Amino acid sequence: MREAAFPGVGRHDSIAAMEPLSPDEIARYHRHILLPEIGGAGQQRLKAARVLVIGAGGLGAPILQYLAAAGVGTLGIVDDDRVSLSNLQRQVIHDSGTIGELKTESAALAIARLNPHVRLIRFEERFCAETAQRQLSGFDLLIDGSDNFDTRYAAADAAEGAQIALVTGAVGRFDGSLTVLKPYETGEDGTANPRYRDLFPEAPPAGLIPACAEAGIIGALTGVIGTMMAMEAIKLITGAGEPLIGRLLLYDALAARFDTIRYKRRRERQGQAV
């Protein structure tokens, strides 16, 4: 783990809950504060929030940029990859001058330029079941922008175990999806909220879903889904609106169409879901 060495960047445990906004922050976030659904209290909650983002790639780029711009006080970034030329078509937090650099470092530099009030914590390693507990320590929201099912299942299990909300999304060629998971809570009807495995009981067979390096992907799609994931995170932090809990939002870029699928916790019999 590395703490980014930039002005205004520090460790996540240095943030006091509901710390007052400075005059500069009030001016910076004025358009948020004008919104009754956010207001000054919501902006303070954003400042106090500690959000861990898995991946500084296609989805992670807009997630990190918009959460930093929104004033999330502490952002953690988990990624062990380096910037390559082929990334720049969609991973807009990086640029030609950062090719070859660690993505965590490149992203941290971009965030420091965007908003010096944001504190960065960098994990230059992969997120997996073995590292999850350590990486999640001190964070109160997890956002999964990874590109593989192993990481998605690990993120879902870790977030449920830590009892923190998870925003998860995926993209492929011209379509994407996202949802919010809080399986440790119950809905208005008293039933437990669904888990990730209620939506995807098993990972698809290897090779069934090709990686974007094989199938291609339209760059702007990651911006659409990543920005919506950032929006869900802001809603969770501030309490504004209705998060996508129990709902999977689907986006078809070629048809310019959104659809929503509702899903529930699967019933369990003798310790197994059916």
Side-chain angles (χ1 to χ4, degrees):
M1 178 185 76
R2 293 189 185 180
E3 186 177 333
F6 307 113
V9 175
R11 298 188 65 87
H12 67 270
D13 54 10
S14 66
I15 299 178
M18 301 303 288
E19 184 179 346
L21 300 174
S22 68
D24 179 79
E25 289 172 307
I26 292 172
R28 179 182 289 266
Y29 308 127
H30 182 59
R31 300 300 190 276
H32 275 180
I33 295 169
L34 288 174
L35 297 168
E37 295 84 355
I38 305 295
Q43 194 61 51
Q44 285 180 287
R45 284 192 284 271
L46 287 166
K47 182 175 181 176
R50 302 164 172 88
V51 180
L52 182 64
V53 180
I54 302 173
L59 292 174
I63 292 168
L64 290 164
Q65 288 173 314
Y66 272 99
L67 292 185
V72 169
T74 300
L75 285 172
I77 311 173
V78 185
D79 201 312
D80 67 344
D81 199 8
R82 292 180 179 269
V83 180
S84 66
L85 182 60
S86 63
N87 296 151
L88 303 186
Q89 162 255 15
R90 64 199 177 283
Q91 299 181 18
V92 294
I93 201 167
H94 312 297
D95 58 54
S96 298
T98 62
I99 292 173
E101 291 184 5
L102 288 163
K103 289 184 179 179
T104 54
E105 182 177 3
S106 172
L109 282 166
I111 290 169
R113 291 192 296 269
L114 177 62
N115 190 347
H117 299 286
V118 178
R119 298 161 173 87
L120 264 294
I121 298 174
R122 292 158 35 197
F123 297 91
E124 290 153 2
E125 57 190 353
R126 296 186 69 84
F127 187 96
C128 62
E130 291 72 28
T131 62
Q133 184 175 0
R134 169 174 54 83
Q135 291 168 349
L136 270 179
S137 177
F139 291 96
D140 45 41
L141 175 62
L142 178 62
I143 306 180
D144 181 13
S146 65
D147 61 359
N148 65 88
F149 275 95
D150 286 345
T151 304
R152 291 169 190 157
Y153 283 112
D157 292 342
E160 181 176 4
Q163 294 196 344
I164 64 173
L166 169 66
V167 180
T168 182
V171 290
R173 299 187 73 243
F174 292 96
D175 56 81
S177 64
L178 67 148
T179 191
V180 173
L181 295 158
K182 296 182 77 174
Y184 50 89
E185 292 184 354
T186 58
E188 293 181 357
D189 61 357
T191 61
N193 289 331
R195 299 184 172 105
Y196 187 73
R197 284 178 174 79
D198 295 316
L199 187 58
F200 300 106
E202 296 179 351
L208 180 64
I209 300 178
C212 68
E214 302 169 348
I217 187 167
I218 189 71
L221 172 67
T222 61
V224 174
I225 301 301
T227 302
M228 295 185 72
M229 292 171 71
M231 184 69 238
E232 289 301 303
I234 291 169
K235 287 160 58 181
L236 287 165
I237 294 166
T238 63
E242 182 183 355
L244 282 168
I245 298 171
R247 294 181 293 153
L248 178 69
L249 184 63
L250 304 171
Y251 174 59
D252 181 340
L254 291 180
R257 184 178 65 208
F258 286 94
D259 295 295
T260 303
I261 296 175
R262 292 189 176 272
Y263 62 100
K264 296 181 179 181
R265 176 75 71 100
R266 303 178 82 195
R267 292 182 296 114
E268 296 183 2
R269 292 179 183 173
Q270 297 181 347
Q272 295 188 354
V274 295

